[in-house]
Amino acid sequence: MARRTDWAEYDAFPTADRGGAGAGAYDDAVDGAAGHDPATGDGAADGPRRGGRSRGGAGPRGRRRRGGFGDPSGAARDDGPSDSLRAERGEPSGDPAERARNICLRLLTGTPRTRKQLADALRKREIPDDVAEEVLSRFEEVGLINDSAFADAWVESRHHGRGLARRALARELRTKGVDSAVIDEAVGQLDSEQEEETARDLVARKLRSTRGLDRDKRLRRLAGMLARKGYPEGLALRVVRQALEEEGEETEDLGFAE
């Protein structure tokens, strides 16, 4: 059995900030994409400034300075913001692959995800299937997606944190799109003895709140709690019966064997 590890440890999967700092494309973001150039002013046709100075800056009087990047006079010739600038502004990129990478990086920030979860998110955002497949495969190559590590961490956290049994853990991992072989390997971390020990701990914590109820109601409540966490019926009844006997309850007439 792997050492007990809090789920928070697995939040440290390599990710990027929401601005896309890990995508590489964002390192080229252009500064000063909006606003006017203080050196050139707002245009040259508005007449001279106070003191007789022309707004046209250097050059012959009345001649307009050719607008540059970020200058309103050049805006009509601009083809629009680059993909890296769109990423900075949170705007959608025109490149489907760039959009797919941005979506995956945002979703992976703070928590790991399975390949299926990311694929569903890309499909919902109408990323072409071939582009999504290429991006997701690349993310797997660099370790940003790892369903096996995800499943191991999920089992470790949910068993120790919530007391879930193997059956419930497998059900949860299936809903997240983890492959059956990977699930079997992950839940195989838990053996029958450890599962029963966890069931006993759960019953011991819940037992006090059932005091004052009749025996059958206590039995149903405690066994039901274990069933919801995925414990087999036979194990649940055996563990609850033993706990009630330790409190002095008669259980011989309950009609089930050890």
Side-chain angles (χ1 to χ4, degrees), residues 107-181:
L107 291 175
L108 288 168
T109 299
T111 182
R113 312 245 182 186
T114 65
R115 179 174 178 135
K116 174 67 162 50
Q117 287 176 307
L118 294 173
D120 289 344
L122 295 179
R123 189 175 299 110
K124 182 178 180 181
R125 290 162 175 80
E126 300 181 348
I127 300 296
D129 289 345
D130 57 335
V131 174
E133 182 69 19
E134 181 180 353
V135 170
L136 293 173
S137 295
R138 178 56 180 162
F139 271 49
E140 278 188 328
E141 289 177 9
V142 299
L144 289 173
I145 302 175
N146 189 330
D147 282 4
S148 180
F150 178 97
D152 289 344
W154 189 269
V155 168
E156 178 80 6
S157 173
R158 299 285 284 177
H159 178 72
H160 291 293
R162 297 291 300 278
L164 298 186
R166 288 174 290 185
R167 186 166 60 184
L169 292 167
R171 183 170 59 247
E172 288 186 340
L173 289 171
R174 279 194 297 270
T175 65
K176 297 183 179 300
V178 179
D179 184 76
S180 296

Side-chain angles (χ1 to χ4, degrees), residues 15 21 62 67-68 72 95 105 139 152 208 211 232-233 254:
T15 56
D95 178 13
L105 288 170
F139 271 49
D152 289 344
R208 180 178 299 178
R211 288 171 185 162
E233 181 181 7
L254 289 177

Side-chain angles (χ1 to χ4, degrees), residues 160-204:
H160 291 293
R162 297 291 300 278
L164 298 186
R166 288 174 290 185
R167 186 166 60 184
L169 292 167
R171 183 170 59 247
E172 288 186 340
L173 289 171
R174 279 194 297 270
T175 65
K176 297 183 179 300
V178 179
D179 184 76
S180 296
V182 175
I183 293 174
D184 291 342
E185 184 176 353
V187 299
Q189 298 177 46
L190 303 175
D191 57 32
S192 298
E193 291 182 1
Q194 183 171 1
E195 198 171 52
E196 182 167 341
E197 180 182 351
T198 302
R200 293 183 188 282
D201 290 341
L202 291 169
V203 170

Side-chain angles (χ1 to χ4, degrees), residues 40-142:
T40 62
D42 295 325
D46 296 330
R49 295 182 179 178
R50 294 179 182 177
R53 296 185 60 187
S54 168
R55 286 192 175 212
R61 180 179 179 85
R63 181 178 176 183
R64 301 189 65 164
R65 180 167 180 171
R66 186 174 182 178
F69 185 79
D71 200 344
S73 61
R77 295 188 300 274
D78 193 359
D79 293 331
S82 65
D83 288 342
S84 57
L85 185 56
R86 285 191 183 100
E88 272 199 345
R89 295 176 175 176
E91 299 172 1
S93 168
D95 178 13
E98 183 71 16
R99 287 184 56 217
R101 286 190 289 270
N102 292 340
I103 291 167
C104 290
L105 288 170
R106 285 198 301 270
L107 291 175
L108 288 168
T109 299
T111 182
R113 312 245 182 186
T114 65
R115 179 174 178 135
K116 174 67 162 50
Q117 287 176 307
L118 294 173
D120 289 344
L122 295 179
R123 189 175 299 110
K124 182 178 180 181
R125 290 162 175 80
E126 300 181 348
I127 300 296
D129 289 345
D130 57 335
V131 174
E133 182 69 19
E134 181 180 353
V135 170
L136 293 173
S137 295
R138 178 56 180 162
F139 271 49
E140 278 188 328
E141 289 177 9
V142 299

